[in-house]
Amino acid sequence: MQRVAPWRAVPALARDPLTALERIGAASGGEIVRLNLGVVRPLLLTNPDHVQRALRERPAQYVREGMLWKPLRRLEGDGIASDGPNWQRSRSLLQPIFTARSVTAVLDTMADAIEGAVAELEADGRAGRPVALVEGMTRVVFRALIRAFFADRVSAEEAGVLGAAISTAFAALGWRIALPFVPDSVRLPGDKAFHRAVRQIDAIVYPHVRRARDAGAGGHDILSLLVAARDEHGQPLTDRQVRDDVVSMFVAGTEATALTLTWLWMVLDAHQDVAAQVAAEVDRVVGGSAPTQAHLDGLGYTKMVLQETMRLFPAGWLIPRTVAEPDVVDGAPIPAGATVLISPYVMHRLPNLWEQPARFDPARFAPQAGRRHRYAYLPFGGGPHQCLGNHLFMAEAQLIVAAVLARYRPTLVGSGPLVARATAALRPRRPGTLLLQRR
Ligand code: HEM
């Protein structure tokens, strides 16, 4: 095990945690690194075999507790966002709904919502109200997810309130995420806004859950499938569990997807040759029509570009775990209670796993490209907690890129270089504004 002393670790991590972790990872040679930060001493894993052990082989020993997870449960409850038996139950009911095959049922209604939302972005720009890139992508993604989850039962007004309330609640948790050791009984700033936002979310989601239940089986939207799902004892999820899982998926799905698309437009802006190839593929496959799921198989290069974007800029840049029982990995003792850090951002830039890791090269993901360790590339995590939304994300992102490029010419105004900033998700420092002009 390597150790990084506090006088080296603390200033570097405080100044620029991403660059510091990238450097520490590159120097580790695959050994576990103990980051001595004084009060806490997390262990950074950089060997894909070790990552595989923690995420896939021993998930009961490396659990999703502490740090980020505890405060999130105040918003998302004890279902898919937790761990243990409640998580297991939600996971087994949700898994069949999110396979590549099942998500196709919602893609065409999603495509329709995407078309509408993209057209509004263009209209806003034309009317002199250009939309900030992250905000614009969040609007498009949220509209698409609302349609996938609720079909057309949620009005535009309700969707607006729900979107704002979910972001307010998430942002208001910032203090609890920063101070995870403060008990819930102690009030922190943000608590009031949090409770107000949760009341707004519940006032919208619960009536839809009840209505979907009353309407019975038959709907293809995700909410209908969730209320119809039964566990191995034939039991449905309670209203509370459906609410918790729906909110969890909105939180997990909206920000990560919107930020990935934000990075994508920035990457295309910086790599005009790649942008020209993506545009040519969309022209060839979609032409000037509205993209649908029937076009997805033809958008293979677009998919490779998205995969390479998620290599350099994985929205889920950190996957923390808490050690529930001590372990020994390659002779290094891992004590119970330790925090283990797994960082897709670091893994995706390790020079021993990737040739010229800093270079943007979608060909790494070509079907004929060489094989790599499964845990060298993990934008969606791995093992039993692997992202449920990965198929939905890929289809949704391809549809959004195609909807933009088939009709419009995107330009970025005021965006900075491709430099990331670590918050709960990975954000660009200066994303700028997106202008769409009709072609
Ligand atoms: C670019 C987009 C996305 C990225 C980068 C991403 C990333 C991730 C990662 C890294 C995890 C693993 C967390 C862990 O192991 O602790 C995860 C889990 C999860 N994601 Fe995603 N995600 C994305 C989109 C979505 C979407 C669209 C949805 C749903 C609509 C979704 C739903 C979930 C859920 C429910 C989990 C928890 C699964 C479990 O613990 O069993 N994600 N995601």
Side-chain angles (χ1 to χ4, degrees):
M1 185 177 300
Q2 294 187 2
R3 290 179 169 75
V4 182
W7 53 269
R8 274 185 51 218
V10 175
L13 283 163
R15 203 175 331 116
D16 181 356
L18 291 167
T19 308
L21 286 176
E22 188 183 342
R23 289 216 181 108
I24 293 168
S28 72
E31 266 186 75
I32 296 172
V33 184
R34 192 166 80 166
L35 303 167
N36 186 343
L37 306 179
V39 256
V40 282
R41 296 172 183 200
L43 303 170
L44 177 71
L45 307 189
T46 60
N47 183 326
D49 286 335
H50 299 166
V51 174
Q52 173 166 334
R53 179 181 177 95
L55 291 183
R56 200 185 80 195
E57 289 158 16
R58 303 190 168 215
Q61 203 166 349
Y62 294 84
V63 293
R64 210 158 60 166
E65 290 288 344
M67 277 185 74
L68 174 81
W69 303 111
K70 185 172 147 261
L72 268 183
R73 264 169 225 165
R74 289 161 61 95
L75 172 63
E76 303 182 353
D78 241 350
I80 191 66
S82 64
D83 213 337
N86 288 334
W87 161 78
Q88 180 75 59
R89 182 151 185 271
S90 277
R91 178 87 198 187
S92 62
L93 289 178
L94 289 174
Q95 180 107 7
I97 299 176
F98 282 92
T99 59
R101 187 152 10 145
S102 314
V103 298
T104 56
V106 294
L107 291 184
D108 281 340
T109 51
M110 256 175 126
D112 186 54
I114 289 168
E115 276 283 302
V118 169
E120 274 174 28
L121 286 190
E122 186 270 339
D124 278 350
R126 200 160 17 96
R129 297 185 304 267
V131 183
L133 179 55
V134 177
E135 193 197 322
M137 287 301 108
T138 306
R139 258 160 62 178
V140 177
V141 167
F142 194 74
R143 284 270 287 279
L145 284 182
I146 283 271
R147 199 63 84 76
F149 275 75
F150 297 101
D152 46 14
R153 291 186 296 243
V154 168
S155 67
E157 194 199 330
E158 274 184 323
V161 176
L162 186 60
I166 289 179
S167 10
T168 304
F170 189 66
L173 284 176
W175 284 92
R176 299 243 166 233
I177 291 174
L179 305 167
F181 41 82
V182 173
D184 287 358
S185 53
V186 175
R187 289 197 41 180
L188 284 179
D191 279 0
K192 223 166 137 190
F194 176 79
H195 290 299
R196 196 174 335 111
V198 167
R199 279 197 301 276
Q200 283 179 312
I201 294 169
D202 291 351
I204 293 175
V205 176
Y206 275 118
H208 283 292
V209 174
R210 290 192 201 104
R211 258 175 255 147
R213 223 186 268 294
D214 292 344
H220 289 297
D221 55 279
I222 292 169
L223 182 62
S224 300
L225 296 173
L226 255 179
V227 297
R230 298 289 179 268
D231 68 12
E232 74 271 26
H233 309 294
Q235 292 302 310
L237 291 169
T238 62
D239 285 2
R240 164 89 214 201
Q241 288 166 324
V242 174
R243 175 265 178 225
D244 287 348
D245 286 347
V246 165
V247 173
S248 303
M249 286 186 282
F250 269 97
V251 173
T254 314
E255 197 189 27
T257 305
L259 287 175
T260 304
L261 286 160
T262 296
W263 283 113
L264 177 86
W265 297 120
M266 293 181 72
V267 161
L268 293 184
D269 193 52
H271 300 276
Q272 293 291 325
D273 51 329
V274 177
Q277 283 192 67
V278 174
E281 180 175 84
V282 171
D283 273 351
R284 196 171 62 247
V285 176
V286 181
S289 64
T292 66
Q293 57 159 310
H295 297 120
L296 295 181
D297 282 347
L299 295 172
Y301 183 71
T302 306
K303 182 173 176 179
M304 285 158 54
V305 172
L306 281 160
Q307 287 169 313
E308 176 69 344
T309 302
M310 284 191 286
R311 180 181 71 83
L312 281 172
F313 307 106
W317 72 278
L318 188 63
I319 305 177
R321 291 291 190 261
T322 297
V323 180
E325 283 168 46
D327 195 6
V328 178
V329 177
D330 281 346
I334 313 283
T339 296
V340 165
L341 303 179
I342 295 165
S343 169
Y345 183 88
V346 172
M347 298 302 291
H348 296 174
R349 289 165 179 254
L350 288 174
N352 60 331
L353 300 179
W354 301 90
E355 232 181 279
Q356 292 189 280
R359 212 177 96 219
F360 186 84
D361 180 10
R364 298 179 203 270
F365 293 93
Q368 67 277 14
R371 288 175 62 79
R372 71 180 79 84
H373 195 296
R374 160 65 184 87
Y375 285 82
Y377 182 66
L378 66 160
F380 297 110
H385 282 293
Q386 160 150 307
C387 180
L388 262 180
N390 59 348
H391 300 297
L392 189 72
F393 160 76
M394 190 47 84
E396 179 186 3
Q398 283 173 294
L399 287 172
I400 292 173
V401 173
V404 169
L405 294 178
R407 305 266 167 94
Y408 309 101
R409 206 154 12 88
T411 322
L412 290 189
V413 182
S415 71
L418 289 162
V419 180
R421 176 165 77 84
T423 61
L426 191 78
R427 299 176 162 267
R429 292 224 170 156
R430 194 143 51 83
T433 298
L434 177 69
L435 267 185
L436 300 180
Q437 281 162 311
R438 281 215 190 111
R439 290 178 50 183

